[in-house]
């Protein structure tokens, strides 16, 4: 059985749990170690994670110190585990620790660099960005595989900046479905006369520009549209998230939700899914393919994306969803206010006509991932772009 040492930047990130489940379902044994952003770490199936300490959002200096400290104590933290067959470092700081682990266990252990976001500190012509990219190239020199979630990350960053020459494995942020049985869901119908259309913005809530745009739009529409927010607000990114949302007559925050258990219900009560992000506008926000894109489409919500982004390209290729041409409330009004119930149902039917594997990653993909990692651990891999979750 392939033994994977998985080093992660945040044990509390729900996506970490999904990746662990994917590796386990594919037949791997996983040792999990990482930092945490909260005091309580969620449970993992049969795994007690190795705690490397606490890090904080946006506190880059603090994170650097935490990584440096972890590098000094990693030998003690990992002394009781078996020698892994492969090490996966999720994000740049964990790639650095993956190199440290490799030196401890043996230089022949391959490293996989899992990069699902391109941090703004890595971009631009400034000295900090150049230094960060230099560090990434240095720590990534031993990577046998680059695992990422969007073709734009490869095209517009890793190739454009010359950051990696490792083979690429594209794993989109699809829903993980291991049971083989489709989850039942009942999408909400078009609203009757006098009732509002609902836009759902779910997941990591971190974009002030989106919040203000949606507030201006719903006020202008005077009750014809409302916005439902759910998930984990990044409070450090907002002046006063709770106060702002609480003061808006057509917005409501419904708190956290369980993923994937609650997805059919929460997407089933909205008509549209907000798949727009301006958090790192022109950079990471343009390149990513977010979880909410796959989740919303899987459960019948029509996605809203920004033109010129990778999400827009994804939707345009499949002729589904709606594309906003400018980030202005009047342009959003022009896009949505004229939609009839018949047009909406046609858009929903176009999404339903897509192959379910467009949105869902199943057991075969999990096995394919572990098989690919096994080939690398055995020393055989090809220098090609492979899409496991196609």
């Amino acid at each position: 059985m392939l033994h994977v040492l998985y080093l992660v930047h945040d044990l509390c990130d729900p996506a970490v749990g999904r990746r662990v489940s994917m590796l386990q379902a594919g037949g791997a044994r996983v040792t999990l170690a990482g930092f945490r952003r909260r005091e309580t770490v969620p449970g993992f199936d049969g795994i007690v994670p190795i705690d490397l300490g606490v890090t904080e959002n946006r506190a880059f200096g603090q994170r650097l110190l935490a990584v440096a400290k972890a590098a000094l104590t990693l030998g003690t933290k990992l002394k009781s585990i078996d020698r892994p067959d492969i090490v996966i470092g999720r994000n740049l700081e964990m790639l650095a620790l993956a190199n440290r682990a490799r030196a401890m266990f043996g230089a022949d252990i391959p490293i996989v660099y899992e990069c699902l976001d391109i941090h703004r500190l890595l971009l631009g012509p400034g000295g900090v960005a150049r230094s960060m990219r230099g560090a990434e190239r240095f720590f990534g020199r031993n990577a046998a595989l680059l695992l990422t979630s969007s073709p734009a990350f490869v095209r517009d960053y890793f190739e454009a900046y010359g950051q990696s020459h490792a083979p690429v494995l594209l794993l989109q942020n699809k829903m993980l479905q291991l049971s083989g049985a489709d989850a039942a869901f009942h999408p909400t119908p078009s609203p009757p006369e006098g009732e509002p259309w609902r836009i759902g913005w779910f997941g990591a809530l971190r974009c002030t520009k989106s919040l203000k745009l949606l507030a201006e739009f719903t006020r202008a529409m005077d009750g014809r549209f409302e916005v439902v927010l759910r998930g984990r607000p990044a409070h450090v990114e907002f002046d006063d998230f709770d106060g702002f949302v609480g003061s808006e007559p057509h917005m409501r925050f419904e708190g956290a939700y369980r993923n994937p258990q609650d997805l059919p219900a929460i997407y089933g009560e909205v008509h549209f899914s907000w798949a727009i992000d301006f958090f790192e506008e022109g950079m990471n926000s343009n390149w990513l393919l977010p979880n909410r894109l796959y989740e919303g489409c899987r459960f019948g919500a029509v996605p809203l994306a920004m033109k010129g982004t990778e999400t827009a390209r994804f939707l345009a290729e499949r002729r589904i969803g709606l594309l906003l041409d400018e980030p202005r409330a009047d342009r959003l009004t022009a896009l949505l206010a004229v939609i009839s119930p018949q047009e909406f149902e046609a858009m929903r039917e176009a999404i339903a006509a897509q192959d379910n594997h467009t949105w869902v990653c199943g057991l075969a993909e999990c096995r394919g991932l572990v098989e690919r990692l096994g080939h690398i651990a055995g020393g055989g891999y090809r220098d090609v772009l492979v899409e496991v979750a196609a």
Side-chain angles (χ1 to χ4, degrees):
M1 178 180 286
L2 184 75
H3 180 200
V4 177
L5 172 59
Y6 191 24
L7 303 174
V8 303
H9 70 297
D10 182 9
L11 292 165
C12 305
D13 185 346
V16 168
R18 289 195 294 273
R19 183 70 79 234
V20 169
S21 295
M22 191 174 182
L23 290 166
Q24 290 178 315
R29 177 165 66 97
V30 181
T31 296
L32 178 64
F35 298 102
R36 52 189 164 85
R37 300 284 171 87
R38 298 197 302 268
E39 287 301 318
T40 303
V41 174
F44 297 90
D45 187 15
I47 297 177
V48 177
I50 298 169
D51 186 359
L52 299 181
V54 178
T55 56
E56 301 173 9
N57 285 321
R58 295 181 66 181
F60 185 67
Q62 187 268 339
R63 287 167 63 180
L64 278 179
L65 289 174
V67 170
K69 180 180 178 181
L72 295 174
T73 61
L74 199 62
T76 301
K77 295 280 188 179
L78 301 181
K79 67 179 181 180
S80 62
I81 74 167
D82 299 334
R83 184 181 189 272
D85 299 304
I86 196 165
V87 181
I88 302 176
R90 186 182 179 103
N91 286 8
L92 177 55
E93 61 259 52
M94 308 316 292
L95 176 63
L97 291 183
N99 278 267
R100 173 65 178 149
R102 184 177 191 258
M104 289 166 39
F105 287 109
D108 58 332
I109 297 177
I111 290 174
V112 174
Y113 179 25
E114 183 177 25
C115 181
L116 306 180
D117 287 293
I118 310 298
H119 198 281
R120 59 184 175 270
L121 288 177
L122 287 159
L123 299 167
V128 172
R130 291 198 305 271
S131 297
M132 292 288 290
R133 291 196 298 270
E136 185 177 55
R137 289 192 297 271
F138 175 77
F139 290 120
R141 71 195 187 282
N142 295 320
L145 186 70
L146 170 65
L147 195 161
T148 192
S149 58
S150 170
F153 290 150
V154 181
R155 180 185 66 242
D156 296 329
Y157 176 70
F158 284 104
E159 291 181 352
Y161 285 88
Q163 287 303 103
S164 175
H165 301 289
V168 177
L169 180 61
L170 184 63
L171 275 181
Q172 297 179 36
N173 289 317
K174 300 180 183 182
M175 291 183 55
L176 184 60
Q177 181 177 305
L178 300 177
S179 67
D182 288 339
F185 69 101
H186 305 282
T188 187
S190 304
E193 188 69 29
E195 294 295 319
W197 295 91
R198 288 189 293 275
I199 300 172
W201 181 16
F202 304 148
L205 308 176
R206 59 184 184 176
C207 179
T208 301
K209 187 170 179 177
S210 286
L211 191 66
K212 292 179 178 179
L213 173 59
L214 288 168
E216 184 180 351
F217 165 71
T218 54
R219 282 180 178 265
M221 295 304 294
D222 194 25
R224 290 179 56 195
F225 282 79
E226 69 175 12
V227 173
V228 182
L229 303 102
R230 295 178 185 269
R232 300 191 302 170
H235 288 284
V236 293
E237 302 295 343
F238 302 97
D239 292 333
D240 180 9
F241 176 84
D242 296 320
F244 184 94
V245 174
S247 67
E248 289 299 319
H250 310 296
M251 300 182 78
R252 52 189 168 93
F253 176 56
E254 297 293 332
Y257 58 91
R258 298 172 301 162
N259 190 334
Q261 298 94 319
D262 295 337
L263 295 180
I266 66 174
Y267 280 104
E269 72 170 17
V270 300
H271 304 97
F272 302 95
S273 172
W274 188 254
I276 295 175
D277 182 271
F278 303 107
F279 179 65
E280 292 180 342
E281 193 171 3
M283 299 180 289
N284 191 71
S285 293
N286 283 37
W287 301 335
L288 57 77
L289 292 171
N291 293 329
R292 59 177 67 97
L293 167 65
Y294 304 92
E295 295 168 356
C297 288
R298 170 65 183 84
F299 294 115
V302 175
L304 297 166
M306 194 72 210
K307 281 187 177 180
T309 64
E310 190 66 21
T311 302
R313 293 187 189 97
F314 180 97
L315 296 174
E317 287 174 359
R318 293 159 177 81
R319 298 183 179 181
I320 57 176
L322 290 169
L323 305 182
L324 179 63
D325 57 2
E326 294 183 61
R328 291 169 23 198
D330 62 331
R331 301 308 299 157
L332 188 56
T333 298
L335 182 66
L336 294 178
V338 297
I339 292 176
S340 68
Q342 294 77 20
E343 290 170 324
F344 173 76
E345 293 303 331
M347 287 188 285
R348 179 173 274 171
E349 288 172 8
I351 295 170
Q354 303 294 311
D355 190 296
N356 195 45
H357 287 292
T358 306
W359 322 119
V360 171
C361 172
L363 187 57
E365 289 82 1
C366 299
R367 290 170 176 162
L369 169 61
V370 173
E371 182 179 357
R372 181 71 189 278
L373 296 177
H375 285 316
I376 293 173
Y381 60 92
R382 296 173 297 154
D383 189 10
V384 295
L385 173 67
V386 177
E387 183 170 2
V388 167

